[in-house]
Amino acid sequence: MMYQKFIIGIVALMLIFALTACGKSNDSTDNKKLDMGSKPASSVTKEHMEHSSSGEVPNGLKVAEHPTYKIGDKVILKTDHMNGMKDAEATISGAFDTTAYVVTYTPTTGGPKVENHKWVIQEEIKDAGKKTLKPGTEVTLEADHMKGMKGASAEIVSSEKTTVYMVDYTPTTGGPVVKNHKWVTEDEVTAK
């Protein structure tokens, strides 16, 4: 009889231990899912992008005099720089006239090259001056939109003179509002 009670006690303890461990495992997995879902899109794939939410703009960046969309305007995003961005509702938080560049760069944090990143602006490129840089030009980025971007070596892919907008938006995939996303161009937004 004593032996049976001992076995039942051990089985009960093992069962409690197993259930507790499963509970912790599920919480941990759920937290990872929440973390992934709440981060705006990275360097290599949109799913892993962690975009800076700083509202700071580079020195010398000119506020747009006559932007199509003004600060506070509600718009719909037509671009997919990051997961949950396309068709998201957004609010304009800044409008600036500059030259926007598509760049390919190698993150300073290591990892694969980031191809065709949109957008880095004239004022976020070290020693860029005022002239539009040509495709193929090697530059150093001063933009700090994402981890590993500031100080990275990059190549200009293309450019366009445009109004760039900083926007706050709620991802269509859920999660918190992304504040001060830099940058979207005039043709990447539409009136709500």
Side-chain angles (χ1 to χ4, degrees):
M1 192 70 155
M2 183 71 138
Y3 181 72
Q4 286 177 331
K5 286 181 181 178
F6 179 73
I7 294 295
I8 291 172
I10 293 213
V11 169
L13 282 173
M14 289 174 56
L15 184 58
I16 289 169
F17 178 77
L19 289 174
T20 303
C22 287
K24 285 183 181 169
S25 173
N26 287 340
D27 288 346
S28 156
T29 302
D30 289 345
N31 286 339
K32 285 179 186 168
K33 286 179 188 170
L34 286 173
D35 288 346
M36 287 300 290
S38 66
K39 290 181 184 174
S42 150
S43 18
V44 180
T45 63
K46 295 175 198 161
E47 291 83 9
H48 300 107
M49 289 182 95
E50 292 180 37
H51 197 279
S52 165
S53 62
S54 165
E56 291 180 35
V57 295
N59 291 332
L61 182 59
K62 293 181 184 174
V63 172
E65 288 184 30
H66 305 290
T68 302
Y69 305 102
K70 296 172 181 44
I71 292 175
D73 283 356
K74 304 291 185 197
V75 296
I76 302 294
L77 301 177
K78 299 189 305 182
T79 187
D80 64 350
H81 301 175
M82 298 169 41
N83 276 345
M85 197 172 202
K86 189 164 178 67
D87 299 324
E89 293 185 12
T91 303
I92 302 295
S93 56
F96 308 90
D97 289 329
T98 188
T99 301
Y101 294 94
V102 177
V103 296
T104 294
Y105 71 96
T106 303
T108 59
T109 52
K113 194 178 277 194
V114 178
E115 304 280 346
N116 301 315
H117 173 81
K118 293 181 179 177
W119 299 94
V120 172
I121 60 172
Q122 187 87 18
E123 294 78 6
E124 295 175 320
I125 297 172
K126 186 174 185 177
D127 301 324
K130 300 286 183 197
K131 290 186 179 178
T132 301
L133 302 169
K134 295 184 169 140
T137 303
E138 298 288 327
V139 297
T140 300
L141 302 179
E142 292 184 337
D144 198 16
H145 305 173
M146 288 174 276
K147 201 176 263 191
M149 186 177 245
K150 188 172 180 112
S153 297
E155 182 179 326
I156 302 297
V157 176
S158 65
S159 65
E160 64 179 87
K161 282 194 178 284
T162 186
T163 298
V164 293
Y165 295 94
M166 188 162 47
V167 295
D168 300 340
Y169 72 94
T170 302
T172 58
T173 52
V177 172
V178 175
K179 301 288 251 174
N180 303 313
H181 175 85
K182 299 172 191 153
W183 306 100
V184 293
T185 58
E186 190 90 13
D187 61 348
E188 293 177 326
V189 297
T190 188
K192 184 174 174 193

